[in-house]
Amino acid sequence: MTERSTFFDTKIEFLKGVGPQRAPLLNKELNIFTYGDLLQHYPFRHEDRSQFHRISELNELMPGAQVKGRLKDWLITGEGHKKRLVGTFTDGTGILELVWFQGISWFEKSLRRNADYIVYGKPILFGGRYSITHPDIDLLTPENAEGGTWQPIYSLTEKLRKRFVDSRAISRIVKSLLELATPHIRETLPEGLIQRYRLISKADALWYIHLPPTTAHLHQATRRLKFEELFYNQLRLIKSKILQQNEFPGQVFDQVHLVTEFYEKHIPFALTNAQKRVLHEIHQDFQTGKQMNRLLQGDVGSGKTIVAFIAMLMAIDNGAQACLMAPTEILADQHYQGLKAFADLLGITIGKLTGSTKKKERRVLHEQLQNGVMKILVGTHALIEDEVQFQNLGFCVIDEQHRFGVAQRSRLWAKNEVIHPHIMVMTATPIPRTLAMTLYGDLDISVIDELPAGRKPIKTVHRYDAHRATLFGFLKDEIAKGRQVYIVYPLIEESEKMDLKDLTDGYESISRSFPDVPLSILHGRMKSQDKEYEMGRFVRNETKIMVATTVIEVGVNVPNASVMVIENAERFGLSQLHQLRGRVGRGAEQSFCILMTDFKLSKETRTRLETMCRTNNGFEIAEVDLQLRGPGDLTGTQQSGVMDLMIADLAKDGAILKEARASAQAILDNDPDLVTPAYAAIRLHLDNLRQSETNWSRIS
Ligand code: ADP
Ligand code: MG
């Protein structure tokens, strides 16, 4: 392997002001090993050091204030951890106290009585007097007397602070590095993009992100660096998608007799425009001769099943077989029932395979799969077992993808070694566009963003625990009308015992209040056959109330259940609330979702509850969730592609991401191998990115 090293790979210890003492500290505490790492250690905010405040003007709302004045005197008071050095500082308009709890002896030696200083920090009012704890303090000099610029603030650790490496120390070494580095900084974006989006140059951006003369410069620098980061993020995702498409051929499904027959004779309702659009996208993919990898997103009830079925028909019409894999037996069974109703109309053989399929049935299934009689197989992960062999598997649908790992997906692929099957992953968890573009940027994405006409939107209300009697009265009425009810309790793993107690207490109080009503109970500690049994009783309408923890979250369909009560709703995230609500609203009746809470609620919780009451639209909810929690929490994983972003924020930078993706797509459409001279900068930067990642993997 050839290793190319550049100025930016220079070890940080060679930088003036760092040296062999501080270098290990920067390595260990901030993961800064090279010049390049330091330049990319962007500040997370800037403090305004361009102006001075008078002590008489200070107020507690100021995030920080800079004051020019004289240090009159100081004293040391207090004992133990309360021991502190308190300085008296004045500018003639009032008195400001400067307080240090740490480094007392050092400050005692270094401070000068009756000398003029500039101090900066957050003013706090205490006992009628303003004070600043651990201020930044500098002797007044002719250079700093007129005020400075915007001071960058870097993320630091306690250890660094103890060794006097603070934001100003970092900013000093960054400045000396920038001076050295400027002639080496190459433009990483093609001229065309810079012009088109009015971006500043890479060199300017690096200067201004660290040392902006004005806020306008800072904004331009931030925008430029975000654009670059998102552009390369998207470019690489799209590139790997193109590579995969070119590497793996897919079967061509161009016959549409079955689809036509289904449309003309059997289809039970008119498809929504969104369903038609998605089917068109899938049909296009099936013509390309390349293997499809598509994500289908659609809210609960948006009608993904019939889309999957019609896509299966395209495969079957061309001599291939199809399968659908679901995460649980109940879901596999529901999919099977749903698809069988359609398949029977056309006389298509469909089978089901789960862990509980009997040996004898299995033998028949295996045979029919191998000789091609069986056209559609629905099942759990049982269908990826090795003995399940197809004659010609052409299309796989995977439901609720986050339950499946990549390994399982590739075992599905291996079911057809001649030509890998097309894959469509279906999820009912809407993901905001920005997240989808980065998390699934290497998949094609289809969205069903429209519910079939005539659905009654679920009525969602928020009620306080104090009004439980009214709630129970309402539930009684609904049950008397023949409906079924879910009552859900939160389950948080760390305190499973306590939650179980909430659930069992709840169950007991419900059985007291509804003595004649048959109940089911369901929670994660039950054996899976007991769970299936209880769920089965509820599905068959033998029980009227299902008291459960969130184990019922995954796509179970009981159309007769029309009320969802969520207890301690403040303990659920937005997307989880929305998923739970999706268990109702599946039948013809008006459905309700009731969010129960205590009176005391945080502002964020109120936003969550209000959002739920305002809208049934999963994409809108996902967007609010992203704003509230940020991308990391939302995905719940250290997903690369999201976590790797250093400056862009998917919750805020949707507009930039869209531009960056469109630009990356256009460039790769035009020149997939980036051979055009105008794209030399891109090629070089991709190499650098790859190189620094290999370096990283060697370090960690
Ligand atoms: P999901 O996307 O949650 O899997 P389903 O495919 O289970 O949704 O569809 C929910 C219900 O809506 C089913 O009863 C289905 O038959 C019905 N449905 C699907 N598409 C339409 C449509 N275009 N018009 C009317 N009803 C539809
Ligand atoms: Mg479904």
Side-chain angles (χ1 to χ4, degrees), residues 498-639:
M498 200 183 96
D499 292 314
L500 205 54
K501 187 170 178 320
D502 282 357
L503 178 79
T504 44
D505 287 355
Y507 181 79
E508 271 161 29
S509 117
I510 293 158
S511 23
R512 274 195 304 276
S513 306
F514 298 85
D516 309 323
V517 175
L519 311 179
S520 276
I521 185 164
L522 200 68
H523 58 79
R525 289 232 171 148
M526 288 161 64
K527 290 207 190 77
S528 75
Q529 71 230 52
D530 294 343
K531 276 193 246 174
E532 301 257 336
Y533 172 77
E534 281 294 320
M535 198 62 223
R537 293 208 305 151
F538 189 68
V539 170
R540 292 188 299 273
N541 200 359
E542 292 163 20
T543 54
K544 303 296 172 183
I545 302 181
M546 164 63 77
V547 183
T549 58
T550 48
V551 290
I552 58 144
E553 192 186 338
V554 193
V556 166
N557 189 13
V558 183
N560 192 50
S562 64
V563 185
M564 167 64 65
V565 180
I566 303 177
E567 296 284 350
N568 298 111
E570 74 279 2
R571 284 170 62 187
F572 293 89
L574 250 183
S575 68
Q576 209 180 9
L577 289 173
H578 180 63
Q579 283 295 308
L580 285 169
R581 176 169 61 183
R583 300 303 109 223
V584 298
R586 303 181 148 234
E589 310 303 334
Q590 175 64 54
S591 289
F592 302 89
C593 174
I594 300 149
L595 308 169
M596 300 297 292
T597 72
D598 197 357
F599 280 117
K600 251 174 68 188
L601 295 172
S602 71
K603 192 165 158 247
E604 195 194 306
T605 303
R606 286 196 185 276
T607 308
R608 284 205 301 271
L609 300 174
E610 278 159 21
T611 307
M612 284 292 293
C613 297
R614 186 187 75 233
T615 179
N616 274 300
N617 180 329
F619 287 95
E620 202 177 323
I621 287 169
E623 195 59 55
V624 175
D625 207 18
L626 176 63
Q627 301 300 333
L628 287 178
R629 294 199 293 161
D633 271 356
L634 209 62
T635 53
T637 49
Q638 297 280 317
Q639 289 273 14

Side-chain angles (χ1 to χ4, degrees), residues 153-205:
I153 305 300
Y154 295 93
S155 63
L156 294 168
T157 65
E158 206 42 51
K159 207 162 184 180
L160 285 165
R161 277 199 200 90
K162 281 211 175 101
R163 306 275 295 270
F164 301 104
V165 181
D166 58 7
S167 284
R168 293 195 318 157
I170 303 243
S171 148
R172 271 194 301 273
I173 59 173
V174 167
K175 188 168 181 213
S176 69
L177 175 56
L178 277 168
E179 277 156 4
L180 281 181
T182 302
H184 300 273
I185 299 173
R186 284 217 199 86
E187 185 47 62
T188 52
L189 291 173
E191 191 53 33
L193 285 186
I194 293 191
Q195 296 284 340
R196 171 139 188 228
Y197 293 106
R198 298 168 186 277
L199 303 171
I200 62 173
S201 73
K202 175 76 185 239
D204 282 350

Side-chain angles (χ1 to χ4, degrees), residues 327-379:
T328 65
E329 294 228 356
I330 290 176
L331 286 173
D333 194 53
Q334 290 191 344
H335 275 301
Y336 174 71
Q337 303 297 344
L339 292 173
K340 190 170 188 315
F342 295 138
D344 286 350
L345 296 171
L346 291 164
I348 289 173
T349 317
I350 178 169
K352 185 178 75 167
L353 178 69
T354 69
S356 55
T357 305
K358 299 271 174 333
K359 231 179 170 172
K360 230 168 82 190
E361 293 169 61
R362 262 174 209 254
R363 208 167 320 132
V364 180
L365 272 179
H366 288 171
E367 200 180 296
Q368 290 184 322
L369 288 169
Q370 262 169 23
N371 66 22
V373 169
M374 179 77 63
K375 299 298 180 193
I376 302 176
L377 181 65
V378 179

Side-chain angles (χ1 to χ4, degrees), residues 119-135:
V119 299
Y120 181 94
K122 169 143 187 68
I124 295 167
L125 190 58
F126 186 74
R129 195 172 262 191
Y130 278 97
S131 68
I132 296 179
T133 303
H134 290 170

